[in-house]
Amino acid sequence: SEKAQDEMISSIDKNNRRGGGPEMDDLYGVWQTESWSPPYVGPTDAIPTNEYKNVELALINPGLTHMDLPRLAPIARKLGIPYAPCMLGYEGHGGNRAPTIRGIVVHDHDVALLREAFAEWESHAAEKERQERKSMILKRWKRLVFGIMTKDRLDREYG
């Protein structure tokens, strides 16, 4: 019980003050060592960030989700979804320690919308890449045909 622990702590403190008994610094009761968990973040609450405006993955609050997909932050910004960059830890580069920031943290209710928007963006980006590749191929064919036609004309005129 707490009362018995308080009595035990006070008797140890008295012994230490008199010079008897073992050295007992930093003594804690059971009620002082309960595990801590971050508070729940509701859908309308702001995402809690640290002083560097990011969220540490180890301290992520219930009600938030880490999404690690490429180019997701601009999509969330366009949709007006609140987000914060996610810090995964630290990396060492030549003796220097730098934070590893990858992905974003969003509210749980926004995850499905972001996944759908990401899939749409990905298909749009793939279509755009196909169009660019097609135009580059046509441009190269055009250059090749004009080169052959120019060579043929030069051979006829001067050949």
Side-chain angles (χ1 to χ4, degrees), residues 10-27:
S10 63
S11 69
I12 290 172
D13 284 343
K14 286 178 188 174
N15 284 340
N16 282 343
R17 280 189 227 121
R18 284 189 237 134
E23 289 289 324
M24 290 277 196
D25 290 337
D26 300 326
L27 187 61

Side-chain angles (χ1 to χ4, degrees), residues 12-141:
I12 290 172
D13 284 343
K14 286 178 188 174
N15 284 340
N16 282 343
R17 280 189 227 121
R18 284 189 237 134
E23 289 289 324
M24 290 277 196
D25 290 337
D26 300 326
L27 187 61
Y28 300 100
V30 173
W31 69 94
Q32 295 170 318
T33 58
E34 292 176 0
S35 62
W36 176 83
S37 64
Y40 178 79
V41 176
T44 58
D45 298 338
I47 297 175
T49 58
N50 61 15
E51 61 200 53
Y52 302 105
K53 303 291 185 227
N54 56 38
V55 177
E56 294 182 36
L57 184 60
L59 300 176
I60 196 165
N61 296 55
L64 299 177
T65 303
H66 172 239
M67 297 184 73
D68 192 7
L69 296 171
R71 304 288 302 154
L72 200 55
I75 296 170
R77 190 178 311 120
K78 284 180 185 176
L79 293 174
I81 295 174
Y83 71 95
C86 186
M87 185 182 80
L88 302 180
Y90 291 93
E91 291 180 347
H93 296 286
N96 295 332
R97 303 290 288 167
T100 304
I101 297 176
R102 191 168 53 238
I104 62 173
V105 174
V106 295
H107 290 99
D108 287 341
H109 71 280
D110 290 329
V111 172
L113 175 65
L114 267 174
R115 286 194 196 281
E116 188 176 316
F118 178 76
E120 180 70 28
W121 174 82
E122 206 171 33
S123 66
H124 177 69
E127 181 63 30
K128 186 176 178 182
E129 184 180 333
R130 273 194 295 277
Q131 290 295 331
E132 288 175 2
R133 177 177 271 164
K134 185 177 177 181
S135 75
M136 286 301 295
I137 290 171
L138 289 175
K139 183 178 173 183
R140 288 177 183 153
W141 271 107

